[in-house]
Amino acid sequence: MQTPRKIAVVGSGLVGSLLAIYLRKAGHTVHIYDRSPDIRKIQFSGRSINLAMSNRGWKALDGVGVGDAVRAIAIPMKKRAIHLVDKLNFQNYGQEGESIDSISRGILNRKMIDLAEAAGAEFFFEHKIWDVTLENATLHIGETERGAWEDKKYDMVFGADGAFSRIRHRMQRQSMFDYSQEFLPIGYKELNIPANGDGSHKLDKNSFHIWPRGEYMLIALPNLDGSFTCTLFMPFEGENSFDSLKDRKSVEAFFEKNLPDTVDVIPKLAEDFFRNPTSTLVTMKCFPWTYEDKVALIGDASHAIVPFYGQGMNAGFEDISVLYEMIEKYGDDWKSIFSEYQKSRKQNADAIAELSYRNFLEMSSKTADENFLLQKKIEKSFSDKHPEKWIPLYSRVTFSDRPYTEALAIGDYQNAIMEEILKMENIKEIWDSEVVEKTILELLK
Amino acid sequence: MQTPRKIAVVGSGLVGSLLAIYLRKAGHTVHIYDRSPDIRKIQFSGRSINLAMSNRGWKALDGVGVGDAVRAIAIPMKKRAIHLVDKLNFQNYGQEGESIDSISRGILNRKMIDLAEAAGAEFFFEHKIWDVTLENATLHIGETERGAWEDKKYDMVFGADGAFSRIRHRMQRQSMFDYSQEFLPIGYKELNIPANGDGSHKLDKNSFHIWPRGEYMLIALPNLDGSFTCTLFMPFEGENSFDSLKDRKSVEAFFEKNLPDTVDVIPKLAEDFFRNPTSTLVTMKCFPWTYEDKVALIGDASHAIVPFYGQGMNAGFEDISVLYEMIEKYGDDWKSIFSEYQKSRKQNADAIAELSYRNFLEMSSKTADENFLLQKKIEKSFSDKHPEKWIPLYSRVTFSDRPYTEALAIGDYQNAIMEEILKMENIKEIWDSEVVEKTILELLK
């Protein structure tokens, strides 16, 4: 057990709430601040992408005994349902028994706050943190940025306040603080497939549905109530873009032409389209993540990534697992806890940022690339024959808790091998042959 | 002539002052704000690197008729004086007649402010700009960030307020604003070589003096008064670092051992070393640089680079040349002026940032690399024989006003050729032979 401290967590999102549970377990007083109202008492924002919980997320939840409470609101997705314009294909995610789990962000967030309160954390909603004094972990709270502020001093402050973190904003103004924010030229918009009258799902319930269309795509993830939360990813500008879909008519025509099998299942298409905001996608990196033994960033506040690997929440939860490892290792030495935590996590955050960005590139430019599709087929075929010798990158990221850096490095190594294989004569004809299999085995030596 | 506007320039540094002169020339009312006192009335900060004015800088000064006023305070440097531990080598910068010019930053800044005042710009020193409202180009000015502010509305605001720009700080908080700041692990410190008793220079006056030592280096640039401004670049941490030079004794021992020929010419070494601050080096990139026809960033505020190509000021001055080109082209259409200005400059700013960073890498890791030195010798030899076929990268950047992007691209192309050349058998023996010359000519086709 550590010496009990008075700790503030800024941000009552998924990472802030789970962190609070862990800190309570370690015996600390925990106050959670959020500028927004209690999400349990308001409607959701209409700007959510459903979450896909995978191995790293579950590990962090189970590590503090709340996994089962979350499993109760999760729907396993064992496969991708790939909606082409004229047909529907299914593709398993992993081996038998492996799945990722669909959870509504809003419902999970409510649950996590309940769990954190039950663990003894105290929440302060509608408290706006405008600044922090790093040297003495003091929060500055007030109605407006330029108005009167109240100061609250803590032993420690965690910034779990997301990609546009105020806590980081202060750290950013220190010398020697590296920082970058980079927006994608594509945005996203939430849409909805409601349940059938009897509460059942209109599409296969245990699938991650995807309509890949090159530069844009639609996905749909199942909810407990029979509905699906859909997300349309699309460039802001250009031919097929948010910019080009200005009115009801153009939206409906676009869906009829390009996403014909959604027309019957998204009844309020135009209504949702123009009511829900178009949100941006940003990759944010920074370093350092901590200030002495006083302040630490965690989750999106330290490493916001684009959502194309489904790892944003999982990576944030893994931050907490690693922080807790350091707590167990270093006891009351918070300087070492913070410094080892950031050292361990920074490289892995960079790796999953890179992998997520590459997935965006793959989806937007490579899905139509013949060589790319051929490579995927060869990898799949080889991996089926030699599962111990070729774990696909997706599985390393999703169904393992080995470091993201390792997944990235091995993925690059596998890609280099595939580059050689694709150079083989007649590879298009012989891709499934024994010759190819043997060549891969040779190259793996 | 444009319709006269009321324009605020934030920052009275080199770029802000020159910009003001150009805007006065175009007929506008110009107010320049600076949070610091008038540099003409105070001592310099002891954290300056002398400037090396080159082609792009002179072009911008001459473009508004103030080149000769600046030439009067400049000292031409025709060559590098390379101080090795045991000998001194000289190396011309370019062709006959080509030189870069040493100018004290402080003296130039005073001169530029005089010139801007003479051109009719009005200066407001010790006015702290804390924020800007982008939509209506309104500055918010006050004693402290949290205190009372006065609002000043303009037709247009230019942020020429440097790498840590407040104007950019506001733009940064918009959605879709890309931003990065990255610090080098090395810092710099100003030192001084005073004049001889008779006002003459202690080292060759018309040289850029450099003491290259791999991971650290010292440079010295001549001043009009017979002194040299020296800058020591060195890692913050490690064996040879600012961290390791904690007291008078260690500083003096370090210089005696590693920079022996400086000992006699830097009499107040330890005094300067511990009085002058250790400054940081940052590369800052962002985009967009402008907001509608209201606000524009310029100079370091939009693209701070590391100083290893001597192009920081030159690139900032070139921003002004390009802005003025656009003014001449688009007249009162400030939206087009701003949008074409940022389009033209962003790519070039990125290119000189990359080139400057590479020069840091070259200096810190490649100066001891045999292949690198051999490559430089081969390039020099070939360029001497075929000056029209091989303009060295340094000359493209320094003695030309062709775009930085072009210099970067041709530099990469030349490097690729050199890579091939270095693969030639016995290249160490035959590097100066006709075979090599012919092979380069062949590869250039």
Side-chain angles (χ1 to χ4, degrees), chain A residues 184-301:
Chain A
L184 288 189
I186 74 164
Y188 70 90
K189 192 181 280 289
E190 183 179 324
L191 298 170
N192 187 263
I193 299 175
N196 288 317
D198 63 358
S200 63
H201 289 80
K202 282 193 196 290
L203 305 175
D204 182 70
K205 175 183 169 181
N206 295 112
S207 289
F208 178 109
H209 293 266
I210 177 164
W211 290 257
R213 296 293 184 269
E215 53 180 357
Y216 65 95
M217 72 167 176
L218 180 73
I219 62 172
L221 281 82
N223 294 315
L224 281 181
D225 66 359
S227 68
F228 286 84
T229 299
C230 306
T231 312
L232 176 65
F233 295 95
M234 186 178 249
F236 288 109
E237 293 169 8
E239 200 196 334
N240 297 314
S241 70
F242 285 112
D243 209 37
S244 72
L245 300 178
K246 289 281 193 214
D247 53 37
R248 190 176 184 108
K249 220 175 112 185
S250 57
V251 170
E252 287 174 351
F254 180 85
F255 273 70
E256 263 161 45
K257 180 177 164 206
N258 300 301
L259 304 157
D261 65 340
T262 67
V263 171
D264 287 342
V265 296
I266 308 183
K268 294 186 177 170
L269 173 61
E271 216 175 310
D272 284 356
F273 195 94
F274 293 108
R275 189 193 52 216
N276 289 336
T278 308
S279 302
T280 57
L281 296 164
V282 67
T283 299
M284 194 286 305
K285 297 179 184 176
C286 67
F287 199 80
W289 292 4
T290 63
Y291 181 88
E292 305 280 335
D293 55 354
K294 291 296 174 196
V295 179
L297 303 173
I298 195 159
D300 280 4

Side-chain angles (χ1 to χ4, degrees), chain A residues 39-293:
Chain A
I39 193 173
R40 295 170 300 186
K41 297 176 183 165
I42 56 164
Q43 275 214 307
F44 299 139
S45 68
R47 60 191 312 154
S48 174
I49 305 172
N50 260 34
L51 301 162
M53 188 81 71
S54 57
N55 187 290
R56 296 165 206 270
W58 288 120
K59 186 181 163 191
L61 292 166
D62 286 328
V64 72
V66 299
D68 287 342
V70 175
R71 270 180 204 96
I73 55 169
I75 299 178
M77 301 181 291
K78 299 188 171 90
K79 52 193 184 298
R80 285 188 196 92
I82 302 170
H83 299 249
L84 304 177
V85 175
D86 53 354
K87 65 180 171 185
L88 176 60
N89 294 332
F90 290 93
Q91 201 178 70
N92 283 339
Y93 266 118
Q95 305 301 318
E96 191 53 39
E98 286 179 331
S99 67
I100 57 177
D101 288 83
S102 172
I103 310 182
S104 147
R105 175 183 291 272
I107 291 173
L108 177 59
N109 205 345
R110 288 173 177 171
K111 171 64 74 183
M112 295 302 300
I113 292 173
D114 283 343
L115 292 166
E117 266 185 358
E122 200 178 340
F123 282 80
F124 300 86
F125 295 105
E126 298 176 71
H127 278 62
K128 291 181 185 141
I129 309 295
W130 294 104
D131 204 352
V132 59
T133 301
L134 301 173
E135 294 74 13
N136 54 15
T138 299
L139 296 177
H140 306 291
I141 309 169
E143 256 318 294
T144 65
E145 183 162 15
R146 300 267 303 139
W149 289 351
E150 191 191 350
D151 295 348
K152 290 271 187 191
K153 192 180 171 315
Y154 286 89
D155 295 323
M156 231 169 284
V157 166
F158 283 91
D161 48 345
F164 302 100
S165 166
R166 271 276 155 176
I167 304 301
R168 188 192 64 233
H169 192 253
R170 166 53 55 196
M171 293 176 70
Q172 220 167 302
R173 287 161 77 177
Q174 300 172 99
S175 191
M176 299 300 288
F177 189 84
D178 288 343
Y179 177 77
S180 72
Q181 60 185 43
E182 196 168 351
F183 287 82
L184 288 189
I186 74 164
Y188 70 90
K189 192 181 280 289
E190 183 179 324
L191 298 170
N192 187 263
I193 299 175
N196 288 317
D198 63 358
S200 63
H201 289 80
K202 282 193 196 290
L203 305 175
D204 182 70
K205 175 183 169 181
N206 295 112
S207 289
F208 178 109
H209 293 266
I210 177 164
W211 290 257
R213 296 293 184 269
E215 53 180 357
Y216 65 95
M217 72 167 176
L218 180 73
I219 62 172
L221 281 82
N223 294 315
L224 281 181
D225 66 359
S227 68
F228 286 84
T229 299
C230 306
T231 312
L232 176 65
F233 295 95
M234 186 178 249
F236 288 109
E237 293 169 8
E239 200 196 334
N240 297 314
S241 70
F242 285 112
D243 209 37
S244 72
L245 300 178
K246 289 281 193 214
D247 53 37
R248 190 176 184 108
K249 220 175 112 185
S250 57
V251 170
E252 287 174 351
F254 180 85
F255 273 70
E256 263 161 45
K257 180 177 164 206
N258 300 301
L259 304 157
D261 65 340
T262 67
V263 171
D264 287 342
V265 296
I266 308 183
K268 294 186 177 170
L269 173 61
E271 216 175 310
D272 284 356
F273 195 94
F274 293 108
R275 189 193 52 216
N276 289 336
T278 308
S279 302
T280 57
L281 296 164
V282 67
T283 299
M284 194 286 305
K285 297 179 184 176
C286 67
F287 199 80
W289 292 4
T290 63
Y291 181 88
E292 305 280 335
D293 55 354

